[in-house]
Amino acid sequence: MTESRSLFGRAGFIAAAVGSAIGLGNIWKFPYITYANEGGSFVLVYLAAVVMVGAPLLLAEFLLGRHTGRNPFGAFVAITKDRPGGRLWSAFGFLPVITISLVGGYYYLVAGWTLYYCIRCVGWALSGFDLTPTEVSASFNTFLANGPLQIGVHLSFTVITGAIVLLGVKSGIERVTKIVMPLLGGLLLLLAIAAIPTPGFSEALRFLFHIGPLSADALLEAVGHSFFTLGVGMGILITYSSYMSKKQSIVRSGLLVCVLDTLVGLVACIVMFSIIFGVPEAERATAFSKSATIMFTTLPHMLFAFPLGQLLAPLFYFLVAFAALTSTISGLEMLVSVASDELGWSRTRAVLVISLVFVAIAIPTALSVGAHEGLSNWQPFGELSRGVFDTFDYTVSNWLLPITGLGLSLVLGWVVLQPKLREEFEIGHGQFKTFPIWQFLIRVVSPIAILWILWEVIGGRSFA
Ligand code: PHE
């Protein structure tokens, strides 16, 4: 481990890791894919995917990060250097650099939308909200087609993220996430309580937990989402755990992150679905397209109809913006750790250069949601994606995350000497009796699940 590496405090590490996991994936993506996949069985399969694939891989990243005390690339190099295959494996450590650069284009953009909608809702609340659902949808489309504004919202998020990461691991990331995460939990709980008396609440619970038919696509999506939401394959967890104290248990911290991340996704669903099912059935199909934009098109209208809607609407977007922020921070920190470990850059230089790269990548992305026709219709993978934004999302979720996950499971499951791993698990934990279970999941279950995903993707399937 490098001498100068600063370490998170115990709670700080949890706050940062949970903050990284909980984001748009939980509050924006999980509810809409659950809705699109008819709830119930999809949720069950998703939970199974978290337990069998997501959680073991998350533990693997924690292990790799803390053991080597390095960024993802350096970590793969360090752990495989004396093993068969040696440096070849480090390619898997480089993939997260590409992944997060693409994420820096589209994820930051959606994060910017939430910030913009928070401010917009304050305006709507002050002026007395009186728009029809159609008007709200139309105004979202106008917003998307406004190129300079799109670039502006991306830029604002990039600047805020950069400013926090610039302050460093302890005084920036740890301090901010320790304040933001409990606040986020509290706000979400408040929204869930507000949802209880609404007419859609019981139907929401039924939808979420009933057992219904399940398609193969839903299965694919469930495994894929477990990667995205936990941040597995992004290298972020490796970076954060390189700042983890040896006094802390990897197993307990890792499982806590998985549980909290899942809980937040489920509570977000309850809130969203209470809103959706509060609308009479006949109007539901027209009120809610089962699409990714639901959070910005029909939701504002519904939020304002909630008890205390004037307050809850801005609060909701504020919450989502913060959830996104603690994720964008972790993405940037990962790249900063690569630049400072591998290239010897100072934190300031790394933050500035990487943020500029994000903005450069963001320009075509921001213009591809309506402002520029060519960019919005770009289809390098044929029917599988449309536009730069969609293509980046497709590439990250369908290819980059699974491939990096495969690399992790092969390296930690088969390449590295196992007693070394068990030893690291037991530091700060005590005896890890269920090590063989983790080992089985990482050696057999994860690679099979990931190879199946890749097989389907190669065959032309895609998931959100
Ligand atoms: N886990 C995050 C989420 O669910 C995804 C993410 C993490 C994206 C870190 C970017 C950076 O939203």
Side-chain angles (χ1 to χ4, degrees):
M1 192 190 298
T2 43
E3 284 302 324
S4 59
R5 217 167 184 82
S6 49
L7 294 182
F8 280 125
R10 190 183 294 259
F13 175 78
I14 300 286
V18 170
S20 158
I22 295 173
L24 296 171
N26 305 64
I27 302 175
W28 163 65
K29 201 166 183 177
F30 185 57
Y32 100 69
I33 59 176
T34 303
Y35 188 50
N37 285 297
E38 306 297 336
S41 307
F42 173 77
V43 173
L44 269 185
V45 176
Y46 165 73
L47 293 178
V50 168
V51 172
M52 299 206 312
V53 188
L57 283 170
L58 177 134
L59 291 180
E61 289 207 24
F62 276 12
L63 198 66
L64 187 53
R66 194 180 64 179
H67 185 70
T68 59
R70 299 193 67 81
N71 68 89
F73 178 71
F76 269 95
V77 171
I79 200 118
T80 55
K81 67 175 184 298
D82 308 320
R83 305 298 305 151
R87 289 204 150 241
L88 277 182
W89 296 108
S90 53
F92 287 110
F94 187 71
L95 283 183
V97 173
I98 303 174
T99 305
I100 294 298
S101 304
L102 299 184
V103 163
Y106 72 92
Y107 193 90
Y108 279 51
L109 189 65
V110 183
W113 296 352
T114 60
L115 198 61
Y116 181 77
Y117 266 70
C118 172
I119 297 163
R120 197 170 221 195
C121 280
V122 172
W124 279 336
L126 292 178
S127 65
F129 181 82
D130 62 352
L131 300 182
T132 65
T134 325
E135 285 168 334
V136 177
S137 285
S139 81
F140 182 62
N141 289 332
T142 315
F143 167 62
L144 289 185
N146 186 338
L149 186 55
Q150 288 300 317
I151 295 173
V153 295
H154 184 285
L155 202 62
S156 63
F157 226 85
T158 309
V159 170
I160 299 172
T161 307
I164 295 166
V165 173
L166 209 54
L167 292 173
V169 171
K170 270 202 93 70
S171 34
I173 302 175
E174 173 163 343
R175 219 169 41 187
V176 169
T177 51
K178 259 164 101 174
I179 299 170
V180 167
M181 292 322 286
L183 198 72
L184 202 71
L187 280 179
L188 197 62
L189 217 58
L190 200 75
L191 283 173
I193 293 170
I196 297 174
T198 61
F201 182 72
S202 55
E203 176 74 7
L205 287 186
R206 202 200 62 80
F207 181 80
L208 206 53
F209 298 112
H210 79 281
I211 305 292
L214 189 73
S215 67
D217 281 353
L219 214 67
L220 190 67
E221 193 134 30
V223 185
H225 186 67
S226 76
F227 273 69
F228 186 82
T229 186
L230 294 174
V232 163
M234 294 187 176
I236 289 164
L237 305 165
I238 301 177
T239 301
Y240 269 8
S241 49
S242 73
Y243 310 132
M244 182 192 209
S245 145
K246 293 268 183 197
K247 293 195 190 103
Q248 198 154 357
S249 157
I250 288 180
V251 182
R252 276 192 288 273
S253 317
L255 295 183
L256 185 62
V257 172
C258 294
V259 168
L260 290 177
D261 182 74
T262 307
L263 270 180
V264 167
L266 290 174
V267 173
C269 278
I270 293 176
V271 173
M272 291 275 215
F273 296 158
S274 297
I275 297 171
I276 293 176
F277 293 121
V279 175
E281 199 167 352
E283 293 165 35
R284 216 175 282 156
T286 45
F288 294 97
S289 61
K290 294 189 173 183
S291 87
T293 55
I294 185 171
M295 202 170 90
F296 304 98
T297 49
T298 34
L299 210 60
H301 187 80
M302 301 300 153
L303 280 169
F304 275 102
F306 245 40
L308 292 180
Q310 316 285 342
L311 198 70
L312 283 184
L315 214 57
F316 175 79
Y317 289 98
F318 183 71
L319 164 114
V320 186
F322 267 105
L325 179 64
T326 52
S327 298
T328 53
I329 288 175
S330 67
L332 180 58
E333 178 61 29
M334 190 281 286
L335 290 177
V336 168
S337 76
V338 176
S340 52
D341 286 355
E342 304 302 322
L343 307 173
W345 287 9
S346 70
R347 179 166 285 272
T348 314
R349 179 171 177 193
V351 168
L352 288 179
V353 173
I354 297 161
S355 300
L356 279 177
V357 172
F358 278 0
V359 174
I361 296 178
I363 292 173
T365 321
L367 299 179
S368 77
V369 289
H372 186 282
E373 205 172 316
L375 292 170
S376 306
N377 292 315
W378 186 53
Q379 287 187 293
F381 296 103
E383 285 310 308
L384 295 172
S385 68
R386 180 180 291 276
V388 179
F389 178 110
D390 206 24
T391 302
F392 284 0
D393 186 15
Y394 164 78
T395 314
V396 167
S397 297
N398 290 253
W399 291 98
L400 293 170
L401 298 185
I403 292 176
T404 310
L406 185 63
L408 261 174
S409 63
L410 294 180
V411 167
L412 291 199
W414 298 97
V415 177
V416 176
L417 294 174
Q418 298 295 302
K420 197 152 116 182
L421 298 183
R422 185 169 190 150
E423 220 172 87
E424 183 67 42
F425 265 132
E426 293 185 344
I427 297 175
H429 180 79
Q431 255 206 14
F432 183 29
K433 294 205 191 74
T434 42
F435 179 75
I437 298 181
W438 174 80
Q439 219 180 6
F440 175 71
L441 293 172
I442 207 85
R443 292 185 130 189
V444 182
V445 179
S446 307
I448 293 178
I450 298 171
L451 285 172
W452 169 69
I453 292 187
L454 291 172
W455 175 255
E456 294 289 339
V457 171
I458 291 167
R461 272 229 172 93
S462 73
F463 53 93

